[in-house]
Amino acid sequence: MDIKIYNTLSKNKETFKPLKPGVVGMYHCGPTVYDHAHIGNLRAYVFADTLRRMFEYNSYQVNQVINITDVGHLTSDADAGEDKMTKALIRENMPLTLNAMREVGTKYFDAFVENLKELHIELPQAFPRASDTITEDIELIKQLEKNGFVYQLSDGVYFDTGKFPHYGKLGGQDLIADEADVHARIAQNTDKKNHRDFAVWKLSAKQNVGEESVLIGWDSPWGKGFPGWHIECSAMSRMILGQPFDIHTGGIDHISVHHNNEIAQSEAAYGTSLANYWMHNAFITIKKAKMAKSEGNFLTLDTLELEHISPLAYRYWLLTGHYRSTVNFTGTAVQGAQKALIRLLSIVSGYPDGGTVVSTYKERFWAFINDDLDIPQAVALVWELIKDAKVSPADKRATILDFDRVLGLNIESVPHVELPVADTKDIPLEITVLAEAREDARKTKEWAKADALRTEIQERGFDVIDGESGFSIITR
Ligand code: AMP
Ligand code: ZN
């Protein structure tokens, strides 16, 4: 079956054609590890994970890369403002050294990987770190220098966008309110030849630490400094996947500047395109504003867990919105998703093993996911299947577990799924799952099953009390 994906480059859904039959190389712009990822950032990786799973469902071998930006990302994506990693060092009272920068980066990199695991995201084959690939950045800049695309100013080496006729071919200028205004407002080097020119190498500026004045960075032919954020992605993707590779992804905020800059550098240096398909996820908003660190309106998986929302419930909620649609986060919406997930888990855990995948449903599921990753329709199909009285419970289970290879809700492990609790007095989600299953058994008068489930709940230190309007769970 053909796979169709929306390519930001052509603004069309295209039939995917891999560079190498049966293999797909994907690069996802990774986090800048100066703080914890927020749940908006994590949408980018749940999207990347479902994309990977869709390809695997289609029997592709997937080579997947998520880079780790641990140097060189300034607070403005357009190369101005403070360095995010330096900000982290100052915030955490750490010395301004490359070793300390690496250390703080490792701390948030580890936290990021934990988040991915909690969301049941399959880890990529490679997590290259920008601080490990400085040599590759320098090579790329030298190549650009050789081809006449860069010039040096007092604070760094800049890419000359005026020399690259296709600059901006990914579009996205409409995504920033007024680009000229954005560029005017941030402190830019006014000697730049064109306002869109961007730094590929930034020279280190002296930082005052108490009495001391320090200069942190790496030696290069242009002076001590650090790579530009854009050049890092061009170098890391090429190093692992080659150039061109198949698919490059990121959030839509990366289209206008970061990805247009990656394309310009890579193509100007090596004369071939960087990636054949560019895919972008839309934002998570909160009160209709983009969730962002700078807006102070962000939530992390930890904050959700304090509200007793499990990471898998957040994943389920994300799956119910198409990756190209903006979704507005509300507590009510995600609590609704958690309820639906609990119901789904309890229903499927009650179905017996030994069934076979129902081909008519599989065909429809497959068509949805291959149509630009229409996961919301695929989730709706799961509920349609559950309600279908013509399909046996065992076949339903087999089919849903097959679908879960793409949905990634870890359905098979229920009720032994380890879901987090904020403290020991709280009711773990798995207990709620068991209680829901018991309630279902009672409704269908399967008394022996209901009793067995209650014993299981009691053995885990909890109990259920049946009331007029449903059950409540208590600790024993
Ligand atoms: P950053 O660490 O800022 O480079 O962001 C990591 C990823 O998260 C990038 O792909 C961003 O485009 C994406 N991202 C940032 N904020 C949001 C948001 N509110 N909703 C969805 N994706 C986002
Ligand atoms: Zn990138």
Side-chain angles (χ1 to χ4, degrees):
M1 195 187 296
D2 277 354
I3 296 173
K4 291 224 156 61
I5 51 179
Y6 181 87
N7 191 351
T8 308
L9 206 50
S10 65
K11 310 273 176 296
N12 271 316
K13 260 193 218 177
E14 293 177 24
T15 301
F16 175 73
K17 293 199 181 62
L19 284 158
K20 202 168 147 207
V23 182
V24 55
M26 306 203 284
Y27 182 91
H28 316 291
C29 283
T32 303
V33 283
Y34 71 114
D35 206 340
H36 290 283
H38 61 67
I39 59 169
N41 300 134
L42 294 171
R43 182 185 201 191
Y45 309 106
V46 171
F47 156 57
D49 184 55
T50 46
L51 187 64
R52 168 194 177 145
R53 288 167 177 272
M54 179 275 285
F55 277 109
E56 286 174 344
Y57 197 82
N58 282 277
S59 304
Y60 274 83
Q61 180 203 318
V62 183
N63 297 327
Q64 196 184 24
V65 180
I66 299 180
N67 76 287
I68 300 298
T69 300
D70 57 0
V71 56
H73 192 172
L74 304 187
T75 41
S76 154
D77 288 353
D79 290 315
E82 296 167 90
D83 173 58
K84 291 186 179 182
M85 296 304 295
T86 309
K87 262 179 84 171
L89 289 179
I90 294 167
R91 185 187 65 223
E92 308 208 357
N93 279 325
M94 292 174 77
L96 289 183
T97 62
L98 288 181
N99 281 344
M101 202 179 256
R102 176 90 188 175
E103 200 185 312
V104 82
T106 301
K107 174 171 134 184
Y108 291 113
F109 174 23
D110 291 347
F112 173 68
V113 174
E114 274 316 302
N115 282 172
L116 298 188
K117 288 183 184 162
E118 286 178 290
L119 286 164
H120 209 229
I121 288 173
E122 290 181 9
L123 298 188
Q125 278 73 10
F127 274 125
R129 286 182 72 159
S131 60
D132 288 330
T133 41
I134 306 292
T135 318
E136 286 76 7
D137 299 330
I138 293 175
E139 274 315 301
L140 213 165
I141 302 167
K142 278 191 189 161
Q143 188 63 37
L144 287 171
E145 197 169 43
K146 200 168 130 205
N147 296 356
F149 281 98
V150 291
Y151 58 92
Q152 182 148 11
L153 294 180
S154 57
D155 64 345
V157 180
Y158 283 79
F159 184 90
D160 186 348
T161 54
K163 291 228 168 102
F164 188 73
H166 307 297
Y167 183 80
K169 71 176 175 184
L170 207 52
Q173 307 311 323
D174 51 322
L175 293 168
I176 41 182
D178 178 343
E179 200 207 8
D181 180 50
V182 170
H183 283 272
R185 268 187 285 131
I186 47 187
Q188 293 259 336
N189 189 320
T190 47
D191 295 334
K192 287 196 309 188
K193 292 188 186 170
N194 312 284
H195 79 273
R196 289 164 167 185
D197 291 356
F198 55 91
V200 289
W201 187 264
K202 275 265 189 186
L203 294 176
S204 300
K206 286 218 164 98
Q207 308 255 9
N208 290 324
V209 185
E211 311 267 285
E212 257 185 281
S213 179
V214 294
L215 196 64
I216 55 172
W218 284 267
D219 290 325
S220 82
W222 311 281
K224 194 165 183 170
F226 51 93
W229 172 45
H230 319 298
I231 205 90
E232 295 173 355
C233 280
S234 284
M236 286 186 272
S237 56
R238 180 182 165 85
M239 178 179 82
I240 300 178
L241 297 172
Q243 184 180 330
F245 57 91
D246 294 298
I247 303 177
H248 194 313
T249 79
I252 51 167
D253 51 337
H254 286 349
I255 300 174
S256 55
V257 179
H258 183 49
H259 288 167
N260 274 319
N261 290 357
E262 279 186 41
I263 290 174
Q265 305 157 149
S266 295
E267 296 193 2
Y270 299 107
T272 64
S273 61
L274 174 59
N276 286 345
Y277 301 86
W278 290 79
M279 298 178 76
H280 294 94
N281 64 277
F283 290 145
I284 297 291
T285 55
I286 190 157
K287 296 197 176 120
K288 306 284 180 201
K290 180 196 171 194
M291 186 178 290
K293 288 261 159 60
S294 55
E295 299 293 321
N297 63 355
F298 64 92
L299 299 164
T300 61
L301 279 191
D302 283 350
T303 35
L304 287 192
E305 287 174 54
L306 286 175
E307 298 294 324
H308 315 298
I309 300 294
S310 95
L312 281 181
Y314 179 61
R315 181 182 178 106
Y316 180 92
W317 178 68
L318 286 177
L319 299 184
T320 59
H322 191 265
Y323 77 90
R324 285 198 286 124
S325 304
T326 304
V327 280
N328 193 47
F329 179 91
T330 64
T332 318
V334 83
Q335 274 157 5
Q338 174 144 299
K339 273 197 171 155
L341 176 63
I342 290 172
R343 206 165 156 66
L344 174 67
L345 298 178
S346 58
I347 290 171
V348 181
S349 68
Y351 292 153
D353 283 323
T356 48
V357 176
V358 186
S359 61
T360 47
Y361 276 93
K362 185 174 174 105
E363 286 303 312
R364 287 173 66 201
F365 177 84
W366 211 340
F368 286 139
I369 61 165
N370 280 16
D371 181 13
D372 193 28
L373 216 60
D374 198 342
I375 304 285
Q377 293 267 33
V379 172
L381 188 67
V382 170
W383 289 105
E384 190 183 320
L385 170 62
I386 285 172
K387 288 189 201 122
D388 189 341
K390 292 193 288 305
V391 181
S392 74
D395 287 355
K396 285 182 184 174
R397 180 174 172 85
T399 311
I400 292 170
L401 292 184
D402 178 64
F403 295 175
D404 200 38
R405 286 161 49 205
V406 178
L407 304 178
L409 293 168
N410 206 11
I411 295 174
E412 192 160 22
S413 65
V414 171
H416 307 292
V417 63
E418 277 183 35
L419 290 159
V421 278
D423 75 54
T424 48
K425 284 199 257 34
D426 296 320
I427 312 296
L429 196 53
E430 60 176 316
I431 300 298
T432 316
V433 169
L434 289 169
E436 289 272 2
R438 173 181 170 271
E439 185 70 7
D440 282 349
R442 276 160 51 83
K443 279 187 190 142
T444 50
K445 303 202 186 328
E446 294 169 85
W447 306 116
K449 187 176 170 188
D451 287 345
L453 285 163
R454 178 178 214 151
T455 308
E456 173 124 26
I457 292 167
Q458 288 170 339
E459 277 167 8
R460 290 169 190 233
F462 296 85
D463 208 347
V464 253
I465 301 176
D466 299 305
E468 295 260 308
S469 57
F471 63 84
S472 349
I473 303 172
I474 52 161
T475 42
R476 268 157 60 93

